[in-house]
């Protein structure tokens, strides 16, 4: 048997604080969702002013990344490219969801929704770096999946 790292509620709280700080610094109102490696909610944070639909979108972005071990941007790029059939999969193909990979293991994912997708991802990256500075957002060998479609 082997052990692997796991995301904790304290990790999620650290990520939420960093994500909210990044969003507030830019005057953005977003929803942040943090899921475990099984795609289950660890924490969700709605900033004042976030739109009603942002909750579901943030959770869906995180779920996409947790279930596929890939940034949600990868799915967006694949669908825009030659993999249009992937649009039928039960994932959201919009930038802003990132897996959190530590020592080669998925420990969870984060999804952000409320501003432009590239800005959502900026917030998610700030959150990951605050709690897991050595985490990756792609498995080894898959770093260029968003470009290789």
């Amino acid at each position: 048997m082997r052990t692997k790292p796991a995301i904790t509620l304290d990790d999620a709280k650290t990520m939420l604080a960093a994500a909210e700080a990044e969003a507030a610094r830019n005057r953005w109102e977003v929803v942040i969702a943090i899921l475990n490696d099984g795609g289950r909610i660890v924490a969700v944070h709605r900033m004042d002013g976030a739109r009603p639909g942002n909750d579901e979108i943030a959770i869906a972005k995180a779920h996409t990344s947790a279930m596929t071990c890939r940034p949600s941007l990868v799915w967006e790029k694949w669908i825009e490219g030659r993999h249009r059939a992937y649009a039928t999969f039960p994932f959201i193909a919009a930038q802003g969801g990132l897996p959190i990979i530590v020592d080669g293991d998925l420990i969870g994912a984060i999804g952000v929704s409320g501003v432009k997708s590239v800005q959502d991802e900026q917030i998610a990256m700030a959150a990951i770096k605050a709690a897991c500075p050595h985490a990756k957002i792609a498995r080894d060998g898959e770093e260029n999946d968003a470009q290789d479609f």
Side-chain angles (χ1 to χ4, degrees):
M1 180 171 18
R2 75 178 185 97
T3 58
K4 70 175 216 168
I7 196 166
T8 65
L9 181 57
D10 285 340
D11 295 331
K13 288 177 180 178
T14 299
M15 285 189 273
L16 290 176
E20 182 174 12
E22 179 69 13
R25 183 176 66 77
N26 289 289
R27 295 190 173 114
W28 297 332
E29 300 158 337
V30 299
V31 174
I32 304 121
I34 300 168
L35 280 53
N36 66 15
D37 61 340
R40 301 295 180 221
I41 295 171
V42 176
V44 176
H45 181 71
R46 170 192 262 305
M47 294 177 66
D48 291 341
R51 292 175 183 88
N54 292 140
D55 303 61
E56 292 181 27
I57 297 167
I59 293 167
K61 287 178 179 183
H63 187 261
T64 296
S65 291
M67 295 295 92
T68 66
C69 297
R70 288 186 164 94
S72 55
L73 173 64
V74 169
W75 293 94
E76 180 179 339
K77 295 291 186 183
W78 282 351
I79 289 168
E80 288 173 356
R82 64 180 185 205
H83 299 293
R84 285 185 169 54
Y86 288 177
T88 63
F89 290 9
F91 302 124
I92 189 165
Q95 187 174 9
L98 295 173
I100 305 164
I101 299 169
V102 175
D103 298 331
D105 290 310
L106 177 78
I107 65 166
I110 182 169
V112 179
S113 178
V115 287
K116 293 178 181 177
S117 291
V118 68
Q119 296 164 332
D120 289 339
E121 188 170 294
Q122 175 184 330
I123 295 166
M125 277 302 298
I128 293 171
K129 292 301 174 195
C132 308
H134 302 294
K136 295 182 178 184
I137 59 167
R139 294 187 296 191
D140 289 341
E142 296 179 352
E143 297 88 349
N144 296 315
D145 278 1
Q147 288 80 38
D148 300 335
F149 54 90

